[in-house]
Amino acid sequence: MKFRGLRADEIDVRVGSISAKGVSLLLYKDARCDMNILDEVFGVMGWQREHKVVNGNLYCGIGIWNKDIQQWVWKWDCGIESRADGDGNEKKGEASDAFKRAGFNIGIGRELYTGGFIFVACETQKKQNGKGYELVNPYQFNGAYVSHVEYKETEHKREIVGLIIKDSKGKQLFSKRGQAIETGEVTEEEILKLFKIAEQAGYTKDTVFKQCESKYKKETPDKLTKAEYKQLMTGYTKLVKANEKK
């Protein structure tokens, strides 16, 4: 059984970590997403869930009725408590988390792990205690959402290759180019500049192609995003300057 990929409106976004230069965003799903897909695929009577405590940890199992062997097949996982909210919902969050993790085990939303590193530059400041950073505007990413997602499908894997995230006002925060996202293409002139600076740094065209493949999983330089192109150009330029000083 292979589940469909999550739609853009089924993927949620939250801040993962905060650094001096910005934040990393994480993609996740909520429990309703798993419920809806289970209902969609197996029907409301074709699956069940169960919770139990093992060694002090709350586990959730999702059972799916297998018609071929005429019995329930189970996948289990444990969750972690939510942060204290003052209303005592920590355990509820733990149960929900365990359910979502069990959903990953059977294949719902597993492609979210292929989203890669999602970084957004923004204003941050050191915390008052001096340990770590925080957002200058703590509500800046409230309401951020995925407006587009695109997958590459193989027999055994589904991978996110296109992604656009916007803020609550519709301003684009992040983009990862897939075939359906046509903005920010690297031009032929830029590719020639890339080859030239790479040659000055001591690299052949073949090496450039290999680095595109190994670093960015792109077969050719024209498939690089603007950010990836700039990263390569910066690296080669630094090497040229370093060689000139020798």
Side-chain angles (χ1 to χ4, degrees):
M1 170 57 66
K2 187 175 181 180
F3 296 93
R4 63 169 174 79
L6 300 188
R7 302 189 307 267
D9 63 294
E10 294 174 318
I11 303 173
D12 292 322
V13 181
R14 66 176 176 84
V15 173
S17 61
I18 305 174
S19 65
K21 296 184 178 181
V23 303
S24 66
L25 299 179
L26 299 178
L27 306 177
Y28 70 101
K29 56 177 179 167
D30 64 23
R32 288 183 294 275
C33 174
D34 291 83
M35 295 177 194
N36 290 337
I37 291 178
L38 287 166
D39 285 348
E40 176 186 311
V41 176
F42 304 107
V44 294
M45 304 299 291
W47 67 278
Q48 59 177 311
R49 65 189 285 188
E50 182 180 326
H51 292 269
K52 62 183 178 182
V53 177
V54 179
N55 295 328
N57 297 312
L58 181 62
Y59 279 74
C60 177
I62 295 177
I64 297 171
W65 180 251
N66 188 311
K67 296 179 181 179
D68 295 330
I69 61 177
Q70 289 294 296
Q71 67 181 36
W72 292 95
V73 176
W74 290 85
K75 297 287 186 178
W76 293 82
D77 211 328
C78 65
I80 57 174
E81 289 188 358
S82 303
R83 293 180 181 178
D85 62 0
D87 295 323
N89 289 319
E90 294 84 1
K91 287 296 181 183
K92 180 180 177 182
E94 184 179 8
S96 178
D97 188 56
F99 176 61
K100 290 184 289 184
R101 289 169 183 253
F104 279 125
N105 283 345
I106 63 174
I108 299 176
R110 200 175 291 169
E111 60 272 13
L112 297 181
Y113 291 113
T114 70
F117 183 63
I118 303 173
F119 179 79
V120 179
C122 64
E123 286 188 291
T124 66
Q125 60 190 10
K126 280 193 173 182
K127 293 182 178 179
Q128 290 184 350
N129 61 13
K131 296 180 180 180
Y133 291 83
E134 62 186 5
L135 290 169
V136 172
N137 176 7
Y139 307 107
Q140 182 173 353
F141 293 95
N142 286 10
Y145 65 97
V146 174
S147 66
H148 171 85
V149 65
E150 185 180 345
Y151 301 111
K152 177 182 178 182
E153 301 271 359
T154 62
E155 184 179 357
H156 302 292
K157 186 179 180 181
R158 177 183 297 118
E159 179 182 2
I160 294 175
V161 294
L163 181 70
I164 296 178
I165 298 175
K166 296 183 178 181
D167 66 14
S168 59
K169 297 180 180 179
K171 180 182 177 181
Q172 183 171 297
L173 298 172
F174 175 86
S175 69
K176 178 179 181 180
R177 191 182 68 184
Q179 292 181 354
I181 304 175
E182 299 177 354
T183 58
E185 293 184 346
V186 178
T187 65
E188 184 177 351
E189 183 180 355
E190 288 174 324
I191 293 172
L192 292 176
K193 287 182 180 179
L194 181 66
F195 286 144
K196 185 176 181 180
I197 195 70
E199 184 179 3
Q200 292 173 2
Y203 292 102
T204 64
K205 288 184 180 181
D206 286 341
T207 303
V208 174
F209 277 86
K210 288 177 181 178
Q211 290 184 337
C212 289
E213 176 66 27
S214 62
K215 284 188 175 183
Y216 308 110
K217 308 301 180 186
K218 305 293 175 61
E219 296 178 357
T220 56
D222 64 300
K223 290 182 170 57
L224 294 171
T225 64
K226 287 287 190 181
E228 292 166 348
Y229 168 82
K230 289 179 181 178
Q231 191 176 47
L232 270 183
M233 283 290 290
T234 300
Y236 291 146
T237 302
K238 286 182 178 179
L239 283 173
V240 171
K241 290 180 178 180
N243 290 336
E244 290 174 346
K245 292 180 180 179
K246 291 180 179 180

